[in-house]
Amino acid sequence: MKEISNKNNLQVLHEDNHIIVVNKRVGDIVQGDKTGDKPLSEVVKEYIKEKYSKPAEVFLGVVHRLDRPTTGIVVFARTSKALTRLNELFKNRETQKTYWAIVKNKPANPTDKLVHYIKRNEKNNTSKAHIKEVPDSKLASLDYTVFKELNNYFALEINLHTGRHHQIRAQLSAIGSPIKGDLKYGFDRSNPDGGIHLHARKLVFIHPVTKDVLSITAPVPNEVIWNAL
């Protein structure tokens, strides 16, 4: 795995003429929003412009997003052709997404499949996981395995089957195992950095142009609990 750093402390996991994959940090927003904070997409554009001495505006397509308090893999398209094909891949769920999460309350089962109906609340930007279908809800499923027991915490590996708003956070909260630091979903206190212990660990997908199978893994943040893994 190749890692590159620049003045913006950007960690690049994969880079070619068509795509660039970075390891998002806590607090980074992938795309601009009402906060007006500088998004990760602009940081990546600056990196490309500087590295390749591009005089003109740099094209960069946002393919998917991660919640601001989470960390891990984010893919950007460097060409319009790559963007169109990546959008289709993600829309049709032709990707394998693996996340790691740290929880305090051990789930009842060491491994399980969770199926809920997620309903989003636009007003407070949360989602609730319901056992049965409710109006305006969407089916959400994932499977998890408890892969390590730490002091006071448990590490889960999660394979995501659908991509609903705050899905992992809402589903783990629904089974009584909210993610460390996630006040919004029932954890009792925040993390010092304002983030939560949810990390987009691995992504497997077909390259939009070369058609090679790419398997990309993101190192966990340099933090005490993550380092224990």
Side-chain angles (χ1 to χ4, degrees), residues 135-190:
D136 301 320
S137 63
K138 294 180 178 179
L139 182 68
S141 71
L142 60 81
D143 59 65
Y144 73 81
T145 299
V146 178
F147 72 93
K148 188 158 187 176
E149 295 193 15
L150 307 164
N151 290 335
N152 303 316
Y153 297 104
F154 299 88
L156 277 58
E157 182 165 282
I158 297 153
N159 290 306
L160 203 54
H161 306 308
T162 53
R164 308 305 182 197
H165 177 257
H166 290 185
Q167 179 183 333
I168 297 173
R169 299 167 68 180
Q171 286 195 274
L172 290 183
S173 178
I175 64 167
S177 298
I179 295 166
K180 184 180 181 300
D182 200 355
L183 288 177
K184 191 174 272 192
Y185 287 93
F187 201 80
D188 58 2
R189 63 185 185 278
S190 60

